[in-house]
Amino acid sequence: MEITGKIIVDDMPEAKGKAATGREWRRKSYVLEFLPEKSQYERHFVFDLWSDDIDKYNLQKDNYYTVSFEFSARKFKDRYYNSVNVNNVVPAVAPVNAAPAPVSMDSSYNAAQAPVGNVMEAMPEVALPTENNGDLPF
């Protein structure tokens, strides 16, 4: 499976340890934000990179990547645990429907881009109650 999205968290602490075989390992988690098909809301996907892959892929916050992965499950003390195994990570371009960059109000501001009209004119009139007879509406 593949997911393309933007890294929004890359500063989780790196875990380190030593396997029973004596080999040292490292693990670092990342959060990828992506927009699934047929949805208007972003989703988040957490995955881990292990040992040499941390340096190999060198993921950076706010950059887009395509992550290839597979799911697996393992049994430990009569319980099952899911894992996301990353096979490959490649840089990707920002999707066309990505949120636009915020506009800064510097000297290059163009007044022609400002909204036209009074916002209050477009609001409908609301009738407020004039009497208060002590009854609550609920």
PDB file of all heavy atoms in Angstrom, residues 51-85:
ATOM      1  N   SER A  51      16.540   1.997  12.597  1.00  0.00           N
ATOM      2  CA  SER A  51      17.998   2.004  12.451  1.00  0.00           C
ATOM      3  C   SER A  51      18.485   2.812  11.265  1.00  0.00           C
ATOM      4  O   SER A  51      18.319   4.020  11.235  1.00  0.00           O
ATOM      5  CB  SER A  51      18.518   0.573  12.430  1.00  0.00           C
ATOM      6  OG  SER A  51      18.166  -0.057  13.658  1.00  0.00           O
ATOM      7  N   ASP A  52      19.067   2.154  10.268  1.00  0.00           N
ATOM      8  CA  ASP A  52      19.690   2.862   9.145  1.00  0.00           C
ATOM      9  C   ASP A  52      18.684   3.613   8.281  1.00  0.00           C
ATOM     10  O   ASP A  52      19.041   4.582   7.615  1.00  0.00           O
ATOM     11  CB  ASP A  52      20.483   1.882   8.280  1.00  0.00           C
ATOM     12  CG  ASP A  52      21.661   1.281   9.021  1.00  0.00           C
ATOM     13  OD1 ASP A  52      22.127   1.905  10.005  1.00  0.00           O
ATOM     14  OD2 ASP A  52      22.117   0.186   8.634  1.00  0.00           O
ATOM     15  N   ASP A  53      17.412   3.188   8.267  1.00  0.00           N
ATOM     16  CA  ASP A  53      16.410   3.874   7.453  1.00  0.00           C
ATOM     17  C   ASP A  53      16.156   5.297   7.942  1.00  0.00           C
ATOM     18  O   ASP A  53      15.765   6.163   7.160  1.00  0.00           O
ATOM     19  CB  ASP A  53      15.097   3.092   7.434  1.00  0.00           C
ATOM     20  CG  ASP A  53      15.185   1.842   6.572  1.00  0.00           C
ATOM     21  OD1 ASP A  53      16.141   1.733   5.766  1.00  0.00           O
ATOM     22  OD2 ASP A  53      14.297   0.974   6.700  1.00  0.00           O
ATOM     23  N   ILE A  54      16.378   5.553   9.212  1.00  0.00           N
ATOM     24  CA  ILE A  54      16.202   6.908   9.745  1.00  0.00           C
ATOM     25  C   ILE A  54      17.129   7.866   9.019  1.00  0.00           C
ATOM     26  O   ILE A  54      16.717   8.942   8.568  1.00  0.00           O
ATOM     27  CB  ILE A  54      16.469   6.950  11.269  1.00  0.00           C
ATOM     28  CG1 ILE A  54      15.457   6.076  12.006  1.00  0.00           C
ATOM     29  CG2 ILE A  54      16.435   8.377  11.795  1.00  0.00           C
ATOM     30  CD1 ILE A  54      15.788   5.847  13.470  1.00  0.00           C
ATOM     31  N   ASP A  55      18.394   7.485   8.872  1.00  0.00           N
ATOM     32  CA  ASP A  55      19.368   8.333   8.185  1.00  0.00           C
ATOM     33  C   ASP A  55      19.196   8.265   6.668  1.00  0.00           C
ATOM     34  O   ASP A  55      19.402   9.249   5.967  1.00  0.00           O
ATOM     35  CB  ASP A  55      20.785   7.912   8.567  1.00  0.00           C
ATOM     36  CG  ASP A  55      21.019   8.039  10.068  1.00  0.00           C
ATOM     37  OD1 ASP A  55      20.502   9.003  10.674  1.00  0.00           O
ATOM     38  OD2 ASP A  55      21.705   7.167  10.632  1.00  0.00           O
ATOM     39  N   LYS A  56      18.829   7.110   6.158  1.00  0.00           N
ATOM     40  CA  LYS A  56      18.679   6.908   4.708  1.00  0.00           C
ATOM     41  C   LYS A  56      17.606   7.834   4.128  1.00  0.00           C
ATOM     42  O   LYS A  56      17.820   8.486   3.115  1.00  0.00           O
ATOM     43  CB  LYS A  56      18.320   5.449   4.429  1.00  0.00           C
ATOM     44  CG  LYS A  56      18.042   5.134   2.981  1.00  0.00           C
ATOM     45  CD  LYS A  56      17.654   3.656   2.838  1.00  0.00           C
ATOM     46  CE  LYS A  56      17.224   3.310   1.446  1.00  0.00           C
ATOM     47  NZ  LYS A  56      16.787   1.913   1.347  1.00  0.00           N
ATOM     48  N   TYR A  57      16.440   7.896   4.775  1.00  0.00           N
ATOM     49  CA  TYR A  57      15.338   8.692   4.229  1.00  0.00           C
ATOM     50  C   TYR A  57      15.361  10.141   4.698  1.00  0.00           C
ATOM     51  O   TYR A  57      14.858  11.019   4.014  1.00  0.00           O
ATOM     52  CB  TYR A  57      13.999   8.047   4.572  1.00  0.00           C
ATOM     53  CG  TYR A  57      13.841   6.692   3.945  1.00  0.00           C
ATOM     54  CD1 TYR A  57      13.578   5.567   4.720  1.00  0.00           C
ATOM     55  CD2 TYR A  57      13.966   6.509   2.571  1.00  0.00           C
ATOM     56  CE1 TYR A  57      13.423   4.320   4.148  1.00  0.00           C
ATOM     57  CE2 TYR A  57      13.824   5.265   1.991  1.00  0.00           C
ATOM     58  CZ  TYR A  57      13.548   4.178   2.786  1.00  0.00           C
ATOM     59  OH  TYR A  57      13.412   2.949   2.218  1.00  0.00           O
ATOM     60  N   ASN A  58      15.913  10.427   5.878  1.00  0.00           N
ATOM     61  CA  ASN A  58      16.078  11.782   6.389  1.00  0.00           C
ATOM     62  C   ASN A  58      14.814  12.628   6.182  1.00  0.00           C
ATOM     63  O   ASN A  58      14.845  13.655   5.521  1.00  0.00           O
ATOM     64  CB  ASN A  58      17.295  12.445   5.739  1.00  0.00           C
ATOM     65  CG  ASN A  58      17.660  13.730   6.430  1.00  0.00           C
ATOM     66  OD1 ASN A  58      17.340  13.941   7.591  1.00  0.00           O
ATOM     67  ND2 ASN A  58      18.327  14.608   5.700  1.00  0.00           N
ATOM     68  N   LEU A  59      13.700  12.194   6.752  1.00  0.00           N
ATOM     69  CA  LEU A  59      12.427  12.878   6.561  1.00  0.00           C
ATOM     70  C   LEU A  59      12.417  14.217   7.288  1.00  0.00           C
ATOM     71  O   LEU A  59      12.904  14.325   8.409  1.00  0.00           O
ATOM     72  CB  LEU A  59      11.283  11.997   7.069  1.00  0.00           C
ATOM     73  CG  LEU A  59      11.179  10.618   6.432  1.00  0.00           C
ATOM     74  CD1 LEU A  59       9.960   9.886   6.958  1.00  0.00           C
ATOM     75  CD2 LEU A  59      11.137  10.703   4.925  1.00  0.00           C
ATOM     76  N   GLN A  60      11.847  15.219   6.624  1.00  0.00           N
ATOM     77  CA  GLN A  60      11.798  16.574   7.169  1.00  0.00           C
ATOM     78  C   GLN A  60      10.349  17.043   7.294  1.00  0.00           C
ATOM     79  O   GLN A  60       9.530  16.766   6.418  1.00  0.00           O
ATOM     80  CB  GLN A  60      12.549  17.547   6.257  1.00  0.00           C
ATOM     81  CG  GLN A  60      14.003  17.190   6.019  1.00  0.00           C
ATOM     82  CD  GLN A  60      14.830  17.281   7.281  1.00  0.00           C
ATOM     83  OE1 GLN A  60      14.657  18.216   8.049  1.00  0.00           O
ATOM     84  NE2 GLN A  60      15.694  16.314   7.502  1.00  0.00           N
ATOM     85  N   LYS A  61      10.059  17.760   8.361  1.00  0.00           N
ATOM     86  CA  LYS A  61       8.728  18.297   8.598  1.00  0.00           C
ATOM     87  C   LYS A  61       8.314  19.234   7.466  1.00  0.00           C
ATOM     88  O   LYS A  61       9.148  19.954   6.909  1.00  0.00           O
ATOM     89  CB  LYS A  61       8.707  19.049   9.931  1.00  0.00           C
ATOM     90  CG  LYS A  61       7.352  19.537  10.339  1.00  0.00           C
ATOM     91  CD  LYS A  61       7.407  20.158  11.710  1.00  0.00           C
ATOM     92  CE  LYS A  61       6.030  20.658  12.102  1.00  0.00           C
ATOM     93  NZ  LYS A  61       6.033  21.229  13.435  1.00  0.00           N
ATOM     94  N   ASP A  62       7.031  19.207   7.111  1.00  0.00           N
ATOM     95  CA  ASP A  62       6.398  20.038   6.075  1.00  0.00           C
ATOM     96  C   ASP A  62       6.774  19.631   4.651  1.00  0.00           C
ATOM     97  O   ASP A  62       6.391  20.318   3.714  1.00  0.00           O
ATOM     98  CB  ASP A  62       6.685  21.528   6.290  1.00  0.00           C
ATOM     99  CG  ASP A  62       6.061  22.047   7.576  1.00  0.00           C
ATOM    100  OD1 ASP A  62       4.998  21.534   7.963  1.00  0.00           O
ATOM    101  OD2 ASP A  62       6.640  22.956   8.193  1.00  0.00           O
ATOM    102  N   ASN A  63       7.512  18.555   4.474  1.00  0.00           N
ATOM    103  CA  ASN A  63       7.794  18.038   3.134  1.00  0.00           C
ATOM    104  C   ASN A  63       6.838  16.903   2.820  1.00  0.00           C
ATOM    105  O   ASN A  63       6.380  16.199   3.719  1.00  0.00           O
ATOM    106  CB  ASN A  63       9.238  17.541   3.021  1.00  0.00           C
ATOM    107  CG  ASN A  63      10.238  18.676   3.020  1.00  0.00           C
ATOM    108  OD1 ASN A  63       9.887  19.834   2.849  1.00  0.00           O
ATOM    109  ND2 ASN A  63      11.482  18.345   3.222  1.00  0.00           N
ATOM    110  N   TYR A  64       6.551  16.702   1.526  1.00  0.00           N
ATOM    111  CA  TYR A  64       5.643  15.658   1.078  1.00  0.00           C
ATOM    112  C   TYR A  64       6.428  14.416   0.691  1.00  0.00           C
ATOM    113  O   TYR A  64       7.487  14.506   0.057  1.00  0.00           O
ATOM    114  CB  TYR A  64       4.813  16.146  -0.114  1.00  0.00           C
ATOM    115  CG  TYR A  64       3.728  17.096   0.302  1.00  0.00           C
ATOM    116  CD1 TYR A  64       3.984  18.451   0.503  1.00  0.00           C
ATOM    117  CD2 TYR A  64       2.430  16.651   0.518  1.00  0.00           C
ATOM    118  CE1 TYR A  64       2.991  19.323   0.899  1.00  0.00           C
ATOM    119  CE2 TYR A  64       1.430  17.522   0.920  1.00  0.00           C
ATOM    120  CZ  TYR A  64       1.719  18.841   1.099  1.00  0.00           C
ATOM    121  OH  TYR A  64       0.727  19.699   1.506  1.00  0.00           O
ATOM    122  N   TYR A  65       5.860  13.245   1.060  1.00  0.00           N
ATOM    123  CA  TYR A  65       6.493  11.961   0.767  1.00  0.00           C
ATOM    124  C   TYR A  65       5.428  10.940   0.394  1.00  0.00           C
ATOM    125  O   TYR A  65       4.272  11.048   0.829  1.00  0.00           O
ATOM    126  CB  TYR A  65       7.263  11.434   1.988  1.00  0.00           C
ATOM    127  CG  TYR A  65       8.404  12.315   2.413  1.00  0.00           C
ATOM    128  CD1 TYR A  65       8.238  13.270   3.405  1.00  0.00           C
ATOM    129  CD2 TYR A  65       9.657  12.188   1.818  1.00  0.00           C
ATOM    130  CE1 TYR A  65       9.279  14.077   3.801  1.00  0.00           C
ATOM    131  CE2 TYR A  65      10.705  13.003   2.216  1.00  0.00           C
ATOM    132  CZ  TYR A  65      10.508  13.943   3.200  1.00  0.00           C
ATOM    133  OH  TYR A  65      11.549  14.754   3.590  1.00  0.00           O
ATOM    134  N   THR A  66       5.839   9.949  -0.394  1.00  0.00           N
ATOM    135  CA  THR A  66       5.013   8.777  -0.641  1.00  0.00           C
ATOM    136  C   THR A  66       5.624   7.635   0.149  1.00  0.00           C
ATOM    137  O   THR A  66       6.789   7.287  -0.055  1.00  0.00           O
ATOM    138  CB  THR A  66       4.956   8.437  -2.141  1.00  0.00           C
ATOM    139  OG1 THR A  66       4.363   9.534  -2.832  1.00  0.00           O
ATOM    140  CG2 THR A  66       4.140   7.181  -2.385  1.00  0.00           C
ATOM    141  N   VAL A  67       4.835   7.062   1.057  1.00  0.00           N
ATOM    142  CA  VAL A  67       5.308   6.004   1.941  1.00  0.00           C
ATOM    143  C   VAL A  67       4.683   4.685   1.488  1.00  0.00           C
ATOM    144  O   VAL A  67       3.464   4.561   1.415  1.00  0.00           O
ATOM    145  CB  VAL A  67       4.918   6.298   3.405  1.00  0.00           C
ATOM    146  CG1 VAL A  67       5.388   5.184   4.330  1.00  0.00           C
ATOM    147  CG2 VAL A  67       5.482   7.642   3.854  1.00  0.00           C
ATOM    148  N   SER A  68       5.534   3.710   1.160  1.00  0.00           N
ATOM    149  CA  SER A  68       5.079   2.356   0.821  1.00  0.00           C
ATOM    150  C   SER A  68       5.195   1.508   2.079  1.00  0.00           C
ATOM    151  O   SER A  68       6.237   1.497   2.722  1.00  0.00           O
ATOM    152  CB  SER A  68       5.941   1.753  -0.276  1.00  0.00           C
ATOM    153  OG  SER A  68       5.889   2.555  -1.428  1.00  0.00           O
ATOM    154  N   PHE A  69       4.135   0.787   2.399  1.00  0.00           N
ATOM    155  CA  PHE A  69       4.125   0.043   3.656  1.00  0.00           C
ATOM    156  C   PHE A  69       3.256  -1.198   3.531  1.00  0.00           C
ATOM    157  O   PHE A  69       2.515  -1.378   2.563  1.00  0.00           O
ATOM    158  CB  PHE A  69       3.612   0.923   4.791  1.00  0.00           C
ATOM    159  CG  PHE A  69       2.189   1.359   4.602  1.00  0.00           C
ATOM    160  CD1 PHE A  69       1.151   0.634   5.157  1.00  0.00           C
ATOM    161  CD2 PHE A  69       1.885   2.475   3.840  1.00  0.00           C
ATOM    162  CE1 PHE A  69      -0.155   1.020   4.975  1.00  0.00           C
ATOM    163  CE2 PHE A  69       0.572   2.871   3.653  1.00  0.00           C
ATOM    164  CZ  PHE A  69      -0.452   2.143   4.223  1.00  0.00           C
ATOM    165  N   GLU A  70       3.339  -2.022   4.550  1.00  0.00           N
ATOM    166  CA  GLU A  70       2.452  -3.178   4.690  1.00  0.00           C
ATOM    167  C   GLU A  70       2.156  -3.360   6.173  1.00  0.00           C
ATOM    168  O   GLU A  70       2.932  -2.943   7.037  1.00  0.00           O
ATOM    169  CB  GLU A  70       3.065  -4.435   4.087  1.00  0.00           C
ATOM    170  CG  GLU A  70       4.366  -4.836   4.719  1.00  0.00           C
ATOM    171  CD  GLU A  70       5.029  -5.992   3.999  1.00  0.00           C
ATOM    172  OE1 GLU A  70       4.828  -6.152   2.795  1.00  0.00           O
ATOM    173  OE2 GLU A  70       5.752  -6.736   4.681  1.00  0.00           O
ATOM    174  N   PHE A  71       1.035  -3.954   6.443  1.00  0.00           N
ATOM    175  CA  PHE A  71       0.650  -4.239   7.817  1.00  0.00           C
ATOM    176  C   PHE A  71       1.026  -5.672   8.163  1.00  0.00           C
ATOM    177  O   PHE A  71       1.006  -6.557   7.312  1.00  0.00           O
ATOM    178  CB  PHE A  71      -0.860  -4.081   8.012  1.00  0.00           C
ATOM    179  CG  PHE A  71      -1.341  -2.678   7.858  1.00  0.00           C
ATOM    180  CD1 PHE A  71      -2.091  -2.300   6.775  1.00  0.00           C
ATOM    181  CD2 PHE A  71      -1.042  -1.717   8.815  1.00  0.00           C
ATOM    182  CE1 PHE A  71      -2.544  -1.007   6.626  1.00  0.00           C
ATOM    183  CE2 PHE A  71      -1.489  -0.421   8.685  1.00  0.00           C
ATOM    184  CZ  PHE A  71      -2.242  -0.063   7.583  1.00  0.00           C
ATOM    185  N   SER A  72       1.354  -5.887   9.409  1.00  0.00           N
ATOM    186  CA  SER A  72       1.585  -7.248   9.889  1.00  0.00           C
ATOM    187  C   SER A  72       1.140  -7.310  11.346  1.00  0.00           C
ATOM    188  O   SER A  72       0.959  -6.290  12.001  1.00  0.00           O
ATOM    189  CB  SER A  72       3.059  -7.638   9.761  1.00  0.00           C
ATOM    190  OG  SER A  72       3.845  -6.869  10.634  1.00  0.00           O
ATOM    191  N   ALA A  73       0.941  -8.528  11.825  1.00  0.00           N
ATOM    192  CA  ALA A  73       0.558  -8.726  13.218  1.00  0.00           C
ATOM    193  C   ALA A  73       1.465  -9.795  13.810  1.00  0.00           C
ATOM    194  O   ALA A  73       1.929 -10.696  13.107  1.00  0.00           O
ATOM    195  CB  ALA A  73      -0.900  -9.153  13.318  1.00  0.00           C
ATOM    196  N   ARG A  74       1.743  -9.677  15.100  1.00  0.00           N
ATOM    197  CA  ARG A  74       2.575 -10.678  15.775  1.00  0.00           C
ATOM    198  C   ARG A  74       1.937 -11.012  17.118  1.00  0.00           C
ATOM    199  O   ARG A  74       1.216 -10.194  17.697  1.00  0.00           O
ATOM    200  CB  ARG A  74       3.992 -10.169  15.940  1.00  0.00           C
ATOM    201  CG  ARG A  74       4.120  -8.982  16.846  1.00  0.00           C
ATOM    202  CD  ARG A  74       5.520  -8.372  16.801  1.00  0.00           C
ATOM    203  NE  ARG A  74       5.649  -7.265  17.702  1.00  0.00           N
ATOM    204  CZ  ARG A  74       5.065  -6.086  17.577  1.00  0.00           C
ATOM    205  NH1 ARG A  74       4.279  -5.851  16.576  1.00  0.00           N
ATOM    206  NH2 ARG A  74       5.263  -5.129  18.453  1.00  0.00           N
ATOM    207  N   LYS A  75       2.223 -12.191  17.571  1.00  0.00           N
ATOM    208  CA  LYS A  75       1.658 -12.654  18.835  1.00  0.00           C
ATOM    209  C   LYS A  75       2.730 -12.571  19.911  1.00  0.00           C
ATOM    210  O   LYS A  75       3.879 -12.959  19.701  1.00  0.00           O
ATOM    211  CB  LYS A  75       1.177 -14.095  18.682  1.00  0.00           C
ATOM    212  CG  LYS A  75       0.453 -14.632  19.879  1.00  0.00           C
ATOM    213  CD  LYS A  75      -0.067 -16.035  19.600  1.00  0.00           C
ATOM    214  CE  LYS A  75      -0.812 -16.582  20.783  1.00  0.00           C
ATOM    215  NZ  LYS A  75      -1.318 -17.941  20.518  1.00  0.00           N
ATOM    216  N   PHE A  76       2.341 -12.042  21.065  1.00  0.00           N
ATOM    217  CA  PHE A  76       3.236 -11.943  22.200  1.00  0.00           C
ATOM    218  C   PHE A  76       2.415 -12.179  23.456  1.00  0.00           C
ATOM    219  O   PHE A  76       1.486 -11.420  23.750  1.00  0.00           O
ATOM    220  CB  PHE A  76       3.927 -10.578  22.234  1.00  0.00           C
ATOM    221  CG  PHE A  76       4.873 -10.407  23.378  1.00  0.00           C
ATOM    222  CD1 PHE A  76       6.090 -11.070  23.402  1.00  0.00           C
ATOM    223  CD2 PHE A  76       4.547  -9.578  24.446  1.00  0.00           C
ATOM    224  CE1 PHE A  76       6.968 -10.906  24.458  1.00  0.00           C
ATOM    225  CE2 PHE A  76       5.420  -9.411  25.507  1.00  0.00           C
ATOM    226  CZ  PHE A  76       6.634 -10.085  25.515  1.00  0.00           C
ATOM    227  N   LYS A  77       2.733 -13.230  24.181  1.00  0.00           N
ATOM    228  CA  LYS A  77       2.037 -13.581  25.428  1.00  0.00           C
ATOM    229  C   LYS A  77       0.516 -13.626  25.232  1.00  0.00           C
ATOM    230  O   LYS A  77      -0.234 -12.955  25.936  1.00  0.00           O
ATOM    231  CB  LYS A  77       2.400 -12.607  26.534  1.00  0.00           C
ATOM    232  CG  LYS A  77       3.851 -12.674  26.931  1.00  0.00           C
ATOM    233  CD  LYS A  77       4.149 -11.783  28.112  1.00  0.00           C
ATOM    234  CE  LYS A  77       5.616 -11.899  28.486  1.00  0.00           C
ATOM    235  NZ  LYS A  77       5.955 -11.033  29.616  1.00  0.00           N
ATOM    236  N   ASP A  78       0.095 -14.403  24.260  1.00  0.00           N
ATOM    237  CA  ASP A  78      -1.320 -14.629  23.962  1.00  0.00           C
ATOM    238  C   ASP A  78      -2.087 -13.376  23.539  1.00  0.00           C
ATOM    239  O   ASP A  78      -3.308 -13.330  23.627  1.00  0.00           O
ATOM    240  CB  ASP A  78      -2.036 -15.281  25.154  1.00  0.00           C
ATOM    241  CG  ASP A  78      -1.509 -16.667  25.440  1.00  0.00           C
ATOM    242  OD1 ASP A  78      -1.100 -17.350  24.471  1.00  0.00           O
ATOM    243  OD2 ASP A  78      -1.498 -17.070  26.617  1.00  0.00           O
ATOM    244  N   ARG A  79      -1.390 -12.341  23.080  1.00  0.00           N
ATOM    245  CA  ARG A  79      -2.035 -11.140  22.540  1.00  0.00           C
ATOM    246  C   ARG A  79      -1.435 -10.848  21.180  1.00  0.00           C
ATOM    247  O   ARG A  79      -0.275 -11.146  20.924  1.00  0.00           O
ATOM    248  CB  ARG A  79      -1.820  -9.944  23.463  1.00  0.00           C
ATOM    249  CG  ARG A  79      -2.547 -10.138  24.790  1.00  0.00           C
ATOM    250  CD  ARG A  79      -2.680  -8.900  25.574  1.00  0.00           C
ATOM    251  NE  ARG A  79      -3.480  -7.933  24.819  1.00  0.00           N
ATOM    252  CZ  ARG A  79      -3.649  -6.675  25.195  1.00  0.00           C
ATOM    253  NH1 ARG A  79      -3.089  -6.240  26.287  1.00  0.00           N
ATOM    254  NH2 ARG A  79      -4.378  -5.858  24.495  1.00  0.00           N
ATOM    255  N   TYR A  80      -2.221 -10.224  20.316  1.00  0.00           N
ATOM    256  CA  TYR A  80      -1.746  -9.850  18.987  1.00  0.00           C
ATOM    257  C   TYR A  80      -1.543  -8.347  18.912  1.00  0.00           C
ATOM    258  O   TYR A  80      -2.331  -7.573  19.456  1.00  0.00           O
ATOM    259  CB  TYR A  80      -2.749 -10.296  17.918  1.00  0.00           C
ATOM    260  CG  TYR A  80      -2.722 -11.782  17.692  1.00  0.00           C
ATOM    261  CD1 TYR A  80      -3.531 -12.633  18.432  1.00  0.00           C
ATOM    262  CD2 TYR A  80      -1.860 -12.328  16.755  1.00  0.00           C
ATOM    263  CE1 TYR A  80      -3.489 -13.998  18.235  1.00  0.00           C
ATOM    264  CE2 TYR A  80      -1.818 -13.697  16.553  1.00  0.00           C
ATOM    265  CZ  TYR A  80      -2.631 -14.524  17.290  1.00  0.00           C
ATOM    266  OH  TYR A  80      -2.581 -15.870  17.092  1.00  0.00           O
ATOM    267  N   TYR A  81      -0.491  -7.951  18.215  1.00  0.00           N
ATOM    268  CA  TYR A  81      -0.137  -6.551  18.048  1.00  0.00           C
ATOM    269  C   TYR A  81       0.067  -6.265  16.562  1.00  0.00           C
ATOM    270  O   TYR A  81       0.718  -7.034  15.864  1.00  0.00           O
ATOM    271  CB  TYR A  81       1.146  -6.217  18.818  1.00  0.00           C
ATOM    272  CG  TYR A  81       0.992  -6.432  20.307  1.00  0.00           C
ATOM    273  CD1 TYR A  81       1.268  -7.668  20.882  1.00  0.00           C
ATOM    274  CD2 TYR A  81       0.560  -5.403  21.122  1.00  0.00           C
ATOM    275  CE1 TYR A  81       1.120  -7.868  22.251  1.00  0.00           C
ATOM    276  CE2 TYR A  81       0.408  -5.593  22.490  1.00  0.00           C
ATOM    277  CZ  TYR A  81       0.689  -6.826  23.041  1.00  0.00           C
ATOM    278  OH  TYR A  81       0.527  -7.020  24.388  1.00  0.00           O
ATOM    279  N   ASN A  82      -0.481  -5.135  16.098  1.00  0.00           N
ATOM    280  CA  ASN A  82      -0.314  -4.727  14.710  1.00  0.00           C
ATOM    281  C   ASN A  82       0.961  -3.911  14.554  1.00  0.00           C
ATOM    282  O   ASN A  82       1.354  -3.168  15.456  1.00  0.00           O
ATOM    283  CB  ASN A  82      -1.493  -3.870  14.249  1.00  0.00           C
ATOM    284  CG  ASN A  82      -2.749  -4.677  14.088  1.00  0.00           C
ATOM    285  OD1 ASN A  82      -2.709  -5.818  13.655  1.00  0.00           O
ATOM    286  ND2 ASN A  82      -3.876  -4.083  14.439  1.00  0.00           N
ATOM    287  N   SER A  83       1.554  -4.003  13.376  1.00  0.00           N
ATOM    288  CA  SER A  83       2.732  -3.213  13.041  1.00  0.00           C
ATOM    289  C   SER A  83       2.579  -2.668  11.635  1.00  0.00           C
ATOM    290  O   SER A  83       1.960  -3.297  10.778  1.00  0.00           O
ATOM    291  CB  SER A  83       4.000  -4.059  13.081  1.00  0.00           C
ATOM    292  OG  SER A  83       4.257  -4.505  14.374  1.00  0.00           O
ATOM    293  N   VAL A  84       3.143  -1.497  11.406  1.00  0.00           N
ATOM    294  CA  VAL A  84       3.221  -0.916  10.073  1.00  0.00           C
ATOM    295  C   VAL A  84       4.674  -1.029   9.654  1.00  0.00           C
ATOM    296  O   VAL A  84       5.554  -0.420  10.268  1.00  0.00           O
ATOM    297  CB  VAL A  84       2.770   0.557  10.077  1.00  0.00           C
ATOM    298  CG1 VAL A  84       2.934   1.171   8.706  1.00  0.00           C
ATOM    299  CG2 VAL A  84       1.342   0.679  10.560  1.00  0.00           C
ATOM    300  N   ASN A  85       4.940  -1.826   8.631  1.00  0.00           N
ATOM    301  CA  ASN A  85       6.308  -2.015   8.147  1.00  0.00           C
ATOM    302  C   ASN A  85       6.521  -1.180   6.890  1.00  0.00           C
ATOM    303  O   ASN A  85       5.870  -1.409   5.873  1.00  0.00           O
ATOM    304  CB  ASN A  85       6.562  -3.491   7.840  1.00  0.00           C
ATOM    305  CG  ASN A  85       6.339  -4.357   9.058  1.00  0.00           C
ATOM    306  OD1 ASN A  85       6.678  -3.969  10.169  1.00  0.00           O
ATOM    307  ND2 ASN A  85       5.751  -5.516   8.860  1.00  0.00           N
TER     308      ASN A  85
END
